[in-house]
């Protein structure tokens, strides 16, 4: 029996019941009588908020999306099946602990129960995926973590751009104005599909955790409890390699001998416009390195990916959520079930930590650049089979500086003075560079000796352009010396510019247009240098060429927008669903900490497609102070009021308070869902 009550308790509620309290921003607060009920209620909650999207993602993870929805999904199915995702998901399910098997069953049961009770709220087009099984959850996990983040077809082809990023800060009590450790979580992802964040609270006898996860995941990935919190950034982790195979006699050469491929013959079914289905063969060949992803003449390319024998990331997340101190948290981390991501951590005891987390292959030789290319696959000397243990990974705990940052830069620049020496690690562990967003990140922390919670939030919203600070004076001087009248007018606009990408900033559009007319990093007179990481690169290598680029950019801006000093927010727009607002923030490569990715439109404007997504600012005081924002809202269901309802706050650079106690939640209660004692559904 399930009872739905809105706005108050009823007679059917039992003291031991599991319930979901929905607040006025559509955040579900799960209060469960035990862990299994918590997972089931969380499955229900995700269906209420993202049911259509969740089922579509699970259908893709099965490798049957073209069968369900047609030709557009054929490439996705080929990738998923070539990578062996569905079969591996079934094996992974059998390898879960009995307790976690039951949690996955409960999560799937919650999804199915919602769909059974509310078929009218689920798009008819995606109902074909039902019922969901625990293996679907693991297949989705693999497709997203391993075959989107670690590697994906665009990354193999070298054409991926703006798929993922992030900012993360951890501030120690010595650097905090209030004497408490603080954490800033700020992932950057696309605002669509498998990249969407879902905010929630889960409370059961053994856990009380608040945070966010990617839609379809059964546990919170970025989170905090009463004792500690953590977040992630995409790190410079190399978790895959493309091996070139020399084909011979129907097989491939390996250590001087011909090895046979393991071959699997599959059939893809593709839904046709008239509702019928056609069949298409898919032959998957696997070498000792991994599956073959392409072939030309007498050569083939095989893909090797880390972590496919490590099925425990979900249980590791659960144990991280239950940790009460740094030692317990590290005990969970040391399993290294999560294939990649920098981990940034802070706790109430005042500890902060940066971990370059990942399953890093132990390689015999070669540096990061070498392993980023195509690797010879004809010798066992290049074939890795083991990973570095936890104690080998770059890690910093409680640095003297009192702060840690990561903005997708390598671990060596996490704090200053630098706490890690790259010479103490294998050359393939991580590259050496520090891009402009990371420099902006470190600069804000380094320049403020006592950071308050309010200042941390303010810094998080900084739209200042580090690249502009580095070059604009040189561009102005060169334009006045070498430029024509248009270049000198452009110089006047740049001189008046506030160096930011606020909606009202005038000059940012012009400078951004100039960056498209020059070549980076060749434009710099002094390249980036490891011994001057925060002040290089700098200077113009060819001022006259830079001025010619400014003249070209100025001509294009004037023609497109009618003026050189057009407002940033008139050209760059925030859009989600039916909402359209003036934009602020900017691209990573401009060195803007408040990252927003914009896509060009036919009318010459640009529309937001990703960047700042879920944001959490946490102070480990007593009680904990926290504010968050989910840029696009906490639901994608078509008729939900929470589909895009937070975009206006995003445009205003505001966060919302976190409500964690029953008293706070009930003061902002939108809906209550109560599960009575007999609700559990067996698989």
């Amino acid at each position: 029996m399930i009872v739905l009550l809105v706005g108050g308790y009823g007679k059917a509620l039992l003291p031991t019941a599991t319930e979901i309290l929905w607040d006025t921003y559509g955040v579900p607060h799960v209060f469960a009588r035990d862990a299994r009920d918590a997972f089931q209620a969380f499955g229900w909650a995700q269906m209420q908020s993202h049911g259509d999207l969740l089922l579509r993602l699970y259908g893709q993870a099965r490798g049957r999306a073209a069968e369900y929805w047609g030709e557009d999904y054929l490439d996705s199915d080929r990738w998923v099946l070539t990578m062996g995702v569905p079969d591996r998901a079934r094996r992974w399910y059998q390898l879960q602990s009995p307790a976690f098997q039951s949690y996955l069953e409960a999560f799937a049961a919650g999804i199915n129960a919602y769909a059974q009770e509310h078929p009218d709220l689920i798009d008819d087009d995606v109902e074909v995926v039902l019922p969901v099984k625990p293996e679907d959850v693991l297949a989705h996990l693999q497709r997203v973590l391993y075959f989107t983040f670690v590697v994906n077809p665009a990354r193999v082809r070298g054409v991926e751009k703006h798929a993922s990023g992030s900012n993360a800060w951890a501030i120690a009590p010595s650097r905090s104005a209030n004497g408490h450790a603080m954490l800033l979580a700020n992932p950057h992802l696309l605002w669509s599909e498998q990249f969407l964040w879902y905010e929630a609270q889960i409370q059961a006898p053994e856990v009380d955790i608040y945070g966010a996860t990617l839609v379809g995941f059964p546990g919170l990935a970025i989170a905090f409890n009463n004792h500690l919190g953590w977040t992630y950034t995409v790190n410079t982790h190399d978790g895959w390699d493309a091996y070139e195979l020399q084909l011979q006699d129907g097989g491939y050469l390996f250590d001087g001998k011909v090895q046979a491929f393991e071959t699997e013959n599959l059939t893809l079914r593709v839904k046709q416009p008239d509702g019928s289905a056609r069949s298409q063969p898919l032959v998957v060949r696997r070498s000792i390195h991994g599956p073959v992803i392409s072939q030309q003449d007498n050569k083939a390319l095989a893909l090797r990916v880390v972590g496919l024998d490590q099925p425990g990331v979900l249980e590791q997340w659960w144990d991280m959520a239950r940790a009460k101190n740094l030692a317990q948290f590290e005990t969970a981390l040391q399993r290294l079930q999560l294939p990649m991501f920098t981990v940034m951590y802070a706790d109430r005891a005042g500890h902060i930590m940066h971990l370059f987390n990942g399953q890093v292959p132990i390689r015999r030789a070669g540096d990061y650049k070498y392993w980023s290319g195509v690797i010879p696959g004809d010798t066992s000397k290049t074939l890795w089979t083991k990973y570095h243990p936890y104690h080998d990974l770059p890690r910093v705990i409680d640095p003297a500086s009192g702060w840690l940052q990561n903005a997708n830069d390598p671990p060596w620049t996490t704090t200053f003075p630098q706490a890690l020496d790259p010479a103490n690690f294998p050359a393939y562990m991580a590259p050496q560079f520090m891009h402009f967003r990371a420099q902006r990140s470190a600069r804000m922390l380094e320049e403020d000796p006592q950071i308050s919670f309010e200042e941390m939030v303010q810094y998080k919203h900084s739209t200042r352009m580090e690249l502009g600070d580095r070059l604009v004076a040189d561009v102005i001087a060169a334009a006045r010396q070498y430029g024509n009248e248009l270049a000198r007018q452009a110089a006047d606009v740049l001189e008046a510019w506030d160096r930011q990408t606020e909606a009202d900033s005038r000059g940012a559009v012009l400078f951004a247009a100039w960056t498209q007319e020059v070549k980076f990093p060749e434009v710099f007179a002094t390249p980036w240098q490891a011994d001057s990481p925060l002040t290089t690169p700098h200077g113009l290598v060819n001022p006259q060429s830079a001025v010619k680029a400014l003249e070209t950019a100025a001509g294009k801006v004037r023609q497109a927008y009618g003026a050189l000093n057009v407002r940033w927010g008139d050209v760059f727009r925030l859009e989600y669903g039916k909402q359209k607002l003036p934009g602020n923030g900017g691209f990573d490569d401009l060195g803007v900490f408040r990252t927003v990715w914009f896509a060009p439109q036919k009318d010459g404007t640009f529309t937001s497609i990703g960047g700042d997504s879920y944001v959490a600012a946490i102070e480990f005081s007593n009680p904990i102070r926290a504010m968050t924002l989910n840029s696009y809202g906490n639901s994608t269901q078509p008729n939900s009021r929470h589909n895009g309802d937070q975009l206006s706050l995003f445009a205003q650079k505001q966060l919302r308070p976190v409500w964690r106690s029953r008293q706070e939640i009930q003061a902002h209660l939108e809906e209550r869902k109560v599960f009575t004692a007999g609700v559990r559904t067996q698989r």
Side-chain angles (χ1 to χ4, degrees):
M1 176 181 180
I2 299 176
V3 179
L4 176 62
L5 301 169
V6 179
Y9 283 92
K11 293 182 179 179
L13 179 62
L14 302 176
T16 57
T18 290
E19 59 183 342
I20 306 172
L21 306 182
W22 298 86
D23 69 30
T24 49
Y25 283 102
V27 175
H29 303 261
V30 175
F31 292 89
R33 57 179 185 160
D34 59 29
R36 195 175 186 280
D37 270 14
F39 278 88
Q40 181 162 339
F42 194 42
W44 177 286
Q46 289 208 35
M47 279 296 285
Q48 180 163 323
S49 302
H50 292 288
D52 294 350
L53 172 62
L54 184 149
L55 293 178
R56 194 171 293 274
L57 293 175
Y58 282 7
Q60 292 176 70
R62 286 178 183 171
R64 298 177 64 185
E67 175 186 342
Y68 297 152
W69 306 303
E71 199 87 24
D72 290 345
Y73 291 89
L74 193 52
D75 286 343
S76 170
D77 285 354
R78 287 195 190 102
W79 174 252
V80 166
L81 294 173
T82 300
M83 294 301 109
V85 169
D87 286 344
R88 188 180 302 106
R90 286 186 281 272
R91 294 196 301 272
W92 274 22
Y93 175 68
Q94 296 302 323
L95 292 171
Q96 303 297 309
S97 69
F100 219 82
Q101 279 188 354
S102 73
Y103 298 162
L104 291 173
E105 290 169 358
F107 183 74
I111 290 171
N112 295 327
Y114 180 90
Q116 185 174 3
E117 183 159 329
H118 298 289
D120 56 319
L121 300 180
I122 303 299
D123 191 330
D124 294 344
D125 202 34
V126 297
E127 287 182 343
V128 65
V129 179
L130 294 166
V132 166
K133 298 180 180 180
E135 297 94 320
D136 294 320
V137 181
L138 293 169
H140 172 62
L141 177 82
Q142 284 184 33
R143 177 175 178 256
V144 174
L145 275 187
Y146 295 85
F147 299 110
T148 300
F149 281 99
V150 175
V151 67
N152 57 61
R155 188 165 302 164
V156 172
R157 296 194 304 271
V159 297
E160 184 179 59
K161 184 174 177 62
H162 295 321
S164 55
S166 297
N167 300 319
W169 285 1
I171 300 171
S174 63
R175 204 70 179 225
S176 167
N178 294 324
H180 305 126
M182 296 190 294
L183 182 70
L184 177 65
N186 180 205
H188 304 154
L189 293 175
L190 293 171
W191 291 0
S192 59
E193 298 298 317
Q194 67 264 38
F195 301 103
L196 290 181
W197 289 99
Y198 185 54
E199 185 176 352
Q201 178 182 7
I202 298 175
Q203 185 182 100
E206 58 187 301
V207 70
D208 184 359
I209 197 79
Y210 191 106
T213 197
L214 296 177
V215 172
F217 286 12
L220 299 183
I222 291 175
F224 66 94
N225 59 30
N226 286 320
H227 308 279
L228 56 84
W230 74 91
T231 186
Y232 298 120
T233 63
V234 172
N235 52 355
T236 55
H237 167 260
D238 180 7
W240 64 278
D241 285 309
Y243 286 90
E244 185 176 78
L245 307 182
Q246 306 295 326
L247 303 181
Q248 185 172 312
D249 299 334
Y252 61 98
L253 288 175
F254 188 73
D255 284 345
K257 299 179 181 179
V258 176
Q259 301 286 334
F261 286 105
E262 175 188 325
T263 302
E264 183 178 11
N265 294 300
L266 302 174
T267 300
L268 294 169
R269 291 181 59 79
V270 185
K271 185 177 181 180
Q272 302 301 291
D274 63 2
S276 64
R278 69 174 176 85
S279 296
Q280 179 172 323
L282 175 66
V283 179
V284 179
R285 294 189 301 165
R286 300 183 182 91
S287 71
I288 193 172
H289 312 81
V292 172
I293 55 174
S294 66
Q295 179 178 335
Q296 187 172 2
D297 300 327
N298 64 339
K299 295 181 180 180
L301 209 61
L303 191 65
R304 189 166 187 80
V305 182
V306 301
L308 302 184
D309 57 348
Q310 305 288 323
V313 62
L314 293 174
E315 190 160 11
Q316 178 178 304
W317 273 338
W318 182 246
D319 289 341
M320 288 161 63
R322 298 192 300 160
K324 297 181 179 180
N325 53 51
L326 178 58
Q328 293 177 5
F329 188 79
E330 283 201 276
T331 296
L333 277 183
Q334 287 169 7
R335 301 177 200 165
L336 293 180
Q337 297 296 296
L338 186 64
M340 61 176 292
F341 303 122
T342 287
V343 178
M344 197 71 76
Y345 166 98
D347 66 26
R348 181 171 284 176
H351 297 298
I352 61 174
M353 179 179 70
H354 169 286
L355 171 69
F356 183 82
N357 169 79
Q359 294 153 349
V360 180
I362 297 175
R363 292 155 167 144
R364 293 190 185 185
D367 59 11
Y368 190 89
K369 183 178 180 180
Y370 171 82
W371 287 98
S372 298
V374 176
I375 307 302
D378 59 351
T379 171
S380 57
K381 293 179 180 179
T382 62
L383 182 66
W384 46 263
T385 58
K386 297 180 180 180
Y387 306 124
H388 282 276
Y390 183 81
H391 62 75
D392 283 0
L393 302 178
R395 180 180 55 142
V396 179
I397 296 178
D398 299 335
S401 65
W403 59 268
L404 295 163
Q405 74 81 35
N406 188 262
N408 310 120
D409 46 323
W412 327 122
T413 48
T414 186
T415 195
F416 294 93
Q418 289 176 260
L420 295 169
D421 184 352
N424 294 332
F425 298 86
Y428 55 72
M429 182 69 71
Q432 293 191 54
F433 65 81
M434 192 177 192
H435 53 65
F436 283 107
R437 176 165 52 89
Q439 292 185 34
R440 168 56 46 187
S441 173
R443 190 178 309 285
M444 289 188 288
L445 287 163
E446 190 176 47
E447 292 177 351
D448 191 339
Q450 294 291 308
I451 302 172
S452 68
F453 181 84
E454 291 78 10
E455 286 174 326
M456 183 173 73
V457 172
Q458 179 184 349
Y459 293 149
K460 184 269 146 302
H461 292 305
S462 171
T463 70
R464 193 166 188 93
M465 191 188 296
E466 185 78 9
L467 179 60
D469 280 341
R470 192 66 51 85
L471 280 182
V472 73
D474 294 332
V475 174
I476 292 170
R480 288 177 174 161
Q481 182 175 357
Y482 303 111
N484 59 18
E485 177 61 24
L486 180 60
R488 291 191 292 273
Q489 292 176 12
D492 292 341
V493 171
L494 292 178
E495 188 170 53
W497 173 38
D498 61 7
R499 310 295 193 268
Q500 301 188 72
T501 53
E502 296 296 315
D504 291 331
S505 292
R506 297 179 183 272
V509 171
L510 176 61
F511 186 81
W514 173 78
T515 67
Q516 298 302 303
E517 302 299 329
V518 295
K519 190 174 182 180
F520 289 95
E522 289 82 357
V523 70
F524 292 107
T526 301
W528 184 83
Q529 297 174 353
D531 59 356
S532 304
L534 291 172
T535 56
T536 57
H538 62 71
L540 293 172
V541 68
N542 188 330
Q544 288 104 323
S545 176
V547 172
K548 289 295 183 184
L550 181 62
E551 292 169 358
T552 301
K556 290 181 178 180
V557 168
R558 176 171 286 175
Q559 181 178 7
Y561 311 117
L564 296 180
N565 65 342
V566 59
R567 295 167 67 251
W568 181 264
D570 290 342
V571 176
F572 292 88
R573 310 284 293 175
L574 297 175
E575 294 191 17
Y576 192 83
K578 298 179 180 180
Q579 295 197 64
K580 298 182 180 181
L581 300 166
N584 57 68
F587 297 102
D588 308 61
D589 50 11
L590 298 175
V592 180
F593 194 67
R594 177 177 167 83
T595 297
V596 183
W597 303 326
F598 297 95
Q601 306 300 305
K602 292 181 179 179
D603 64 357
T605 63
F606 294 77
T607 297
S608 57
I609 59 169
D612 273 19
S613 304
Y614 175 71
V615 177
I618 306 137
E619 180 180 355
F620 289 94
S621 51
N622 190 11
I624 284 176
R625 184 180 184 186
M627 300 188 76
T628 63
L629 191 75
N630 205 4
S631 301
Y632 31 70
N634 217 37
S635 175
T636 52
Q637 287 303 94
N639 297 320
S640 171
R641 59 174 293 197
H642 303 298
N643 189 339
D645 66 333
Q646 296 182 50
L647 189 68
S648 59
L649 291 175
F650 181 81
Q652 298 168 49
K653 300 166 64 174
Q654 294 182 8
L655 303 183
R656 3 170 296 269
V658 167
W659 301 313
R660 294 177 66 223
S661 70
R662 279 184 175 273
Q663 183 178 0
E664 290 175 318
I665 299 163
Q666 288 173 347
H668 304 89
L669 187 66
E670 181 174 276
E671 180 182 327
R672 175 180 281 112
K673 172 75 182 179
V674 181
F675 300 85
T676 58
V679 71
R680 291 179 176 173
T681 303
Q682 297 298 320
R683 185 183 175 196

